[in-house]
Amino acid sequence: MAKGKSVKKKKKTSERAQYTMRIVTSDRCEVCKQQCARGIRYMEHMRKEGSVGKGVPCILTRTLISK
């Protein structure tokens, strides 16, 4: 290893912060005051005739899972 370089250890999966997000449908994205890029893209997709969607994770509803 070169002089002066440090190595960071990766955190284990169990030590990382875990978040949850609610799945929202296009009707919820339409009325959202802070529309995100993912929601806008989903709304455009759902406007097409014959589109079937199950929703997208909403970054605005992100919550931290406490252990």
Side-chain angles (χ1 to χ4, degrees):
M1 186 160 69
K3 189 175 182 181
K5 297 225 176 179
S6 64
V7 176
K8 280 190 171 183
K9 291 184 178 180
K10 286 188 177 180
K11 290 184 179 181
K12 294 180 183 177
T13 306
S14 60
E15 296 173 352
R16 294 184 189 149
Q18 293 187 349
Y19 296 94
T20 60
M21 292 184 267
R22 288 187 181 153
I23 303 296
V24 296
T25 55
S26 59
D27 60 336
R28 294 294 290 166
C29 288
E30 292 282 346
V31 297
C32 183
K33 293 177 183 175
Q34 297 176 324
Q35 292 182 344
C36 62
R38 180 188 282 173
I40 293 169
R41 193 171 55 243
Y42 180 65
M43 287 185 297
E44 290 172 358
H45 170 73
M46 293 306 294
R47 285 186 188 122
K48 296 177 186 172
E49 191 171 325
S51 295
V52 177
K54 297 180 182 179
V56 291
C58 179
I59 193 71
L60 301 172
T61 61
R62 185 176 87 160
T63 56
L64 179 64
I65 298 175
S66 59
K67 293 181 180 184

